Amino acid sequence: MAHVLVVDDNPDNIRLLALELGRQGHQVISAHSGLEALEKVACERPDLVLLDVVMPDLSGLEVCRRLKADEQLRSIPVVMVTVRGSHDDVLAGLEAGADDYISRPFDRRVLTARLQAALRTKDDCDAVREMNQRLDEARRMAELSSAAKSEFLASMSHEIRTPMTAILGFADLLRDNLSDANDLEAVDTIKRNGEYLLEIINDLLDLSKIEAGRFMVDIGPCAPRQVLADVLALMRLRSDAKGLSLDMVVKGQVPEIIQCDALRLRQILVNLVGNAIKFTENGNVRIVLRLLEPPSGGPLLQFDVVDTGIGMSAEQIRALFYPFSQTDSSVTRRFGGTGLGLTISKRLAELLGGDITVTSVPGIGSTFSLTVAAG
């Protein structure tokens, strides 16, 4: 059973429609003017409005326009009812927002069918609106949960890092007072694993800050060639230990100074070059620096980190930038790592106005392309 508001300045027309609607099992509410109709719709929220077009105080067209302009009321179906059934009248009603249009004298079967169609439409709209409300609430709860998780990670990472730093410091002091080879090896193991744990904690802290929107970059003058030279000097010990060639190439004109966060740019490059060395057993790692001038947006600096390592499949690349993701479990066992470094690097690149993309061929090598804004 539906609650139907019948609006007409002629009481006989209201009685006729009320009788027919009553036979169909609907409950009828009546209004004798446009203004009264607006008041009753606001108070009683009917399921359907049957609205006369011509009324003395406020026309049915204007009533319909006001109902459809109200976000809280626009979902109520409005069916215009009038003796004027020309194409212009029908068009005027539909342009005012009416859902349907019935001309008098009406056929009972047509009236019944159109009312049922209008009510089905309303039920469908109500269902969609309810589903959207549930989705909005679910999204809001997910965002709150994500924020709480990020806040927890940030807090715990900070609390763990303080005692971890102390452990590493006392391990150094202990090592200075030992002479037995077995004791020295044990302390070195403690220190090595402690440093690895501290690296994970720092990554967690960075990731949690980024996800919580509390990670800030410090944009200022930055010399990209010098940053890259510092990274190569830092990573050369690792490449030499594996017998790999490590070099850089500058292609074309590259500005001496850009506006960027030099610390975060260095952090990204250390991660990308470190990964290239880690996953390359033979051959070389090369960094190519160039300036891009895209058709839209400002200029970009691109750093291509090219290796001759194990490479990746397309499926492995798709999962590469998810937190705690490695290409597969065998890679984790063989090379170690949590997969956080690339996730953080990609987020940092986005904060610096760029991105990180990957191309790779299994068994041949990979190219990680970092771009940052060069403005």
Side-chain angles (χ1 to χ4, degrees):
M1 181 182 68
H3 289 70
V4 181
L5 173 62
V6 178
V7 186
D8 201 309
D9 60 329
N10 187 327
D12 292 336
N13 290 338
I14 290 179
R15 281 194 294 270
L16 179 61
L17 282 170
L19 180 62
E20 182 59 35
L21 292 170
R23 288 174 181 171
Q24 298 177 22
H26 300 307
Q27 181 178 338
V28 176
I29 314 164
S30 62
H32 296 83
S33 70
L35 292 175
E36 184 184 0
L38 292 175
E39 293 175 359
K40 290 203 171 182
V41 170
C43 295
E44 304 192 38
R45 297 298 299 272
D47 299 310
L48 175 69
V49 177
L50 287 175
L51 183 59
D52 186 25
V53 172
V54 181
M55 290 184 291
D57 62 340
L58 199 63
S59 74
L61 296 177
E62 181 59 27
V63 172
C64 184
R65 277 191 283 266
R66 294 190 187 186
L67 291 177
K68 295 303 181 179
D70 190 319
E71 187 175 351
Q72 302 297 321
L73 304 176
R74 65 180 53 166
S75 63
I76 300 173
V78 176
V79 178
M80 310 298 292
V81 182
T82 182
V83 294
R84 300 165 59 180
S86 70
H87 291 301
D88 289 342
D89 293 331
V90 173
L91 182 60
L94 295 177
E95 288 178 344
D99 297 271
D100 205 346
Y101 202 103
I102 299 176
S103 300
R104 290 194 185 95
F106 49 79
D107 183 282
R108 291 174 57 187
R109 291 172 300 177
V110 172
L111 174 65
T112 300
R114 290 191 167 179
L115 293 185
Q116 289 176 346
L119 290 170
R120 281 196 301 270
T121 300
K122 179 181 184 300
D123 290 341
D124 291 343
C125 290
D126 288 345
V128 170
R129 185 168 60 254
E130 183 179 354
M131 179 61 70
N132 287 336
Q133 289 173 347
R134 291 179 180 177
L135 290 174
D136 287 342
E137 179 64 18
R139 182 172 61 251
R140 188 182 69 84
M141 294 303 295
E143 290 171 351
L144 289 174
S145 176
S146 177
K149 178 203 70 176
S150 297
E151 190 66 31
F152 173 77
L153 280 176
S155 177
M156 291 305 298
S157 299
H158 179 76
E159 293 300 325
I160 296 173
R161 185 168 56 173
T162 300
M164 197 67 241
T165 303
I167 290 172
L168 292 175
F170 278 102
D172 284 333
L173 291 176
L174 180 62
R175 195 182 195 289
D176 292 339
N177 292 283
L178 295 176
S179 56
D180 183 80
N182 291 329
D183 292 341
L184 289 171
E185 182 180 354
V187 172
D188 287 341
T189 300
I190 292 173
K191 192 170 189 304
R192 185 170 59 254
N193 285 278
E195 289 172 344
Y196 176 62
L197 179 58
L198 186 60
E199 181 181 337
I200 295 174
I201 293 169
N202 288 333
D203 285 345
L204 281 171
L205 184 59
D206 283 346
L207 182 61
S208 61
K209 285 182 178 180
I210 291 172
E211 290 189 340
R214 296 193 292 107
F215 194 98
M216 303 297 293
V217 293
D218 185 14
I219 303 298
C222 169
R225 292 175 189 246
Q226 185 60 53
V227 171
L228 188 52
D230 291 344
V231 171
L232 292 180
L234 177 66
M235 306 303 293
R236 198 168 299 283
L237 186 62
R238 296 189 193 181
S239 63
D240 289 347
K242 298 186 70 173
L244 302 175
S245 170
L246 177 63
D247 57 73
M248 63 177 282
V249 176
V250 179
K251 292 192 174 181
Q253 297 296 318
V254 173
E256 293 296 326
I257 300 294
I258 64 172
Q259 292 299 310
C260 188
D261 187 327
L263 177 63
R264 298 308 173 186
L265 177 59
R266 179 178 180 274
Q267 180 180 348
I268 299 170
L269 289 171
V270 164
N271 180 262
L272 295 181
V273 175
N275 280 345
I277 295 171
K278 180 195 294 185
F279 294 108
T280 301
E281 296 299 327
N282 300 288
N284 61 80
V285 174
R286 181 164 49 99
I287 301 92
V288 180
L289 174 61
R290 73 189 82 203
L291 180 67
L292 301 180
E293 297 281 356
S296 60
L300 298 171
L301 271 190
Q302 178 167 309
F303 301 80
D304 292 326
V305 181
V306 186
D307 66 57
T308 56
I310 62 175
M312 293 172 288
S313 67
E315 182 179 356
Q316 290 170 330
I317 290 175
R318 281 193 292 271
L320 199 57
F321 294 103
Y322 289 100
F324 304 102
S325 173
Q326 284 279 18
T327 53
D328 57 47
S329 58
S330 64
V331 171
T332 303
R333 288 192 298 270
R334 182 179 174 190
F335 295 99
T338 62
L340 282 176
L342 282 176
T343 302
I344 294 170
S345 294
K346 187 174 179 66
R347 305 280 181 87
L348 289 176
E350 291 167 353
L351 290 174
L352 296 177
D355 198 3
I356 297 177
T357 57
V358 187
T359 58
S360 186
V361 178
I364 301 298
S366 304
T367 297
F368 282 75
S369 297
L370 162 68
T371 56
V372 296

